[in-house]
Amino acid sequence: MIISLAQLRRCSVAVDLGAARTRVYVKNQGLVVDEPTVAAVNIRTGALIAVGAQAEVMDGRTPDYIRVVRPVSGGTIVDIDMAQRLLRYLVGDKLRKAWRRRPTMRAAVCLPHGSEPLAQRAAVETLTGLGARRVELVDTLIAAAVGCGLPVEHPEATMIVVCGSGTTQVAVLSLGSIVAAETVPVGGNAIDHAVVQHLRLHHALMLPGQAVRPLHLMLSSSGGLTPGSTEVHGRDVVSGLARSVLVDTERVRHAITTPLTSILDGIGAVLRRCPPDLVADLGERGIMLAGGSALIPGLEPMIRQATNMPVHIADRPDTCAVQGLGAMIEGKVEPLHLDPMAP
């Protein structure tokens, strides 16, 4: 997925098709789509009922003949047809007509680092099915670093941690390329699962899936009925009736420590593979957190304590990748020219 900035400037659309949210950036227009990567389908007729936020609300609340599907898993498109239908609805007729008027219309899409050829082919087929005549593939780590404002083209080292819903990607970049990278199969979904399991085991409470993220916000704040506690509503495991419990937020933070430790292991593996000079640069510059799960409570202080490096969170961590990709197609990124020396 090595692509030149000159080729990216020919693209008119940038797409970040993530497992949690789909974002589309249109040249000269900015971010036009930011919706959950979810679709609701009538399995009897095959009709598409809802996509995006409307479909996400239906998750866990539908009758048997309506199925809520997620066509992207771990940054890889697992259902090309459904991904095309979802994008076709979100992007709208206006953009598709523009693609038909210009047969050389190009699109850029970011993929996780180290994506398999099958995953790359799925992304290309998804966008060509919408009318794109050419699709450029860009590494998510580089796009997110550009979106965070990191000087990726400079010889100094920059480290970025992209926390997604299914995976966490860690990389050190220098001179516009990835020096060392690691993908950890732990993301926001694993954190959610740890919270749900804690409440089930210690409070005999089944928590609705859509109530986990609001619980994260409560953990990161000082809210609650009493200091250090939060009221949680759910279903009793034994009786099946609705019940509310007062949860100790400190114990929930301890429950999510185990999956967060895997992220620390990935950061350590990347640092061990880096040259000492680049690691010394990181001691001053620190680590940048991006991705939709970068705001998970406890992640920033845990990384800071484990690495003894400053840790920063991007201003808009959830849209860094698509904004960086948009900056590249807009021509806002100037490459560092390395001219060969004359003999």
Side-chain angles (χ1 to χ4, degrees):
M1 288 187 293
I2 300 177
I3 197 73
S4 68
L5 290 175
Q7 290 174 301
L8 287 175
R9 290 194 184 104
R10 299 190 185 102
C11 298
S12 58
V13 179
V15 179
D16 179 14
L17 197 59
R21 300 187 71 87
T22 294
R23 300 176 176 93
V24 179
Y25 185 104
V26 178
K27 200 171 189 176
N28 300 324
Q29 295 185 32
L31 190 65
V32 296
V33 173
D34 186 359
E35 292 280 345
T37 313
V38 187
V41 184
N42 187 328
I43 59 177
R44 295 176 181 172
T45 63
L48 195 64
I49 297 176
V51 298
Q54 295 180 350
E56 190 176 42
V57 174
M58 299 180 184
D59 195 9
R61 304 169 182 267
T62 60
D64 294 339
Y65 65 92
I66 297 178
R67 185 163 58 97
V68 177
V69 297
R70 298 179 182 270
V72 181
S73 177
T76 302
I77 299 173
V78 295
D79 190 339
I80 296 177
D81 178 65
M82 189 55 62
Q84 286 180 349
R85 297 175 68 183
L86 184 144
L87 274 175
R88 186 175 294 114
Y89 183 88
L90 292 177
V91 171
D93 293 334
K94 182 178 180 181
L95 187 56
R96 294 205 313 277
K97 291 178 181 178
W99 279 352
R100 286 196 291 266
R101 285 197 301 267
R102 294 181 58 186
T104 58
M105 184 71 73
R106 298 189 180 195
V109 60
C110 41
L111 291 178
H113 179 73
S115 295
E116 298 291 334
L118 190 62
Q120 299 179 19
R121 181 179 176 182
V124 171
E125 289 185 1
T126 298
L127 290 177
T128 53
L130 292 178
R133 298 299 183 263
R134 184 179 175 89
V135 180
E136 309 291 357
L137 305 179
V138 181
D139 201 303
T140 300
L141 291 167
I142 295 179
V146 173
C148 293
L150 297 178
V152 294
E153 295 291 338
H154 293 188
E156 295 83 7
T158 55
M159 188 172 195
I160 186 167
V161 179
V162 180
C163 307
S165 61
T167 60
T168 297
Q169 303 173 70
V170 186
V172 172
L173 299 94
S174 179
L175 292 174
S177 299
I178 296 175
V179 178
E182 187 79 16
T183 300
V184 182
V186 172
N189 293 339
I191 308 299
D192 295 348
H193 181 71
V195 173
V196 171
Q197 288 299 107
H198 172 78
L199 294 176
R200 183 184 180 95
L201 294 176
H202 296 277
H203 298 278
L205 190 74
M206 293 186 66
L207 189 67
Q210 297 180 6
V212 178
R213 290 308 169 93
L215 181 58
H216 285 177
L217 298 178
M218 296 178 187
L219 291 175
S220 60
S221 64
S222 58
L225 296 179
T226 60
S229 64
T230 301
E231 186 178 13
V232 178
H233 306 276
R235 191 185 76 180
D236 189 272
V237 173
V238 179
S239 65
L241 301 177
R243 186 164 66 92
S244 300
V245 297
L246 205 59
V247 179
D248 186 356
T249 54
E250 197 59 38
R251 290 192 175 185
V252 178
R253 289 192 185 98
H254 180 73
I256 66 178
T257 301
T258 300
L260 291 181
T261 305
S262 300
I263 299 177
L264 297 181
D265 295 339
I267 295 175
V270 171
L271 291 176
R272 285 191 295 271
R273 295 203 301 268
C274 280
D277 292 342
L278 293 183
V279 177
D281 290 342
L282 296 175
E284 294 184 17
R285 292 175 173 270
I287 302 172
M288 179 67 73
L289 298 182
S293 301
L295 300 176
I296 291 177
L299 179 59
E300 179 191 0
M302 181 179 290
I303 295 177
R304 184 185 298 111
Q305 182 178 3
T307 60
N308 292 321
M309 294 180 183
V311 180
H312 315 282
I313 299 179
D315 294 335
R316 286 292 308 274
D318 52 341
T319 61
C320 281
V322 71
Q323 292 289 358
L325 200 55
M328 286 189 273
I329 69 174
E330 294 272 13
K332 298 179 181 179
V333 180
E334 292 296 332
L336 180 65
H337 295 286
L338 299 176
D339 296 327
M341 298 179 65

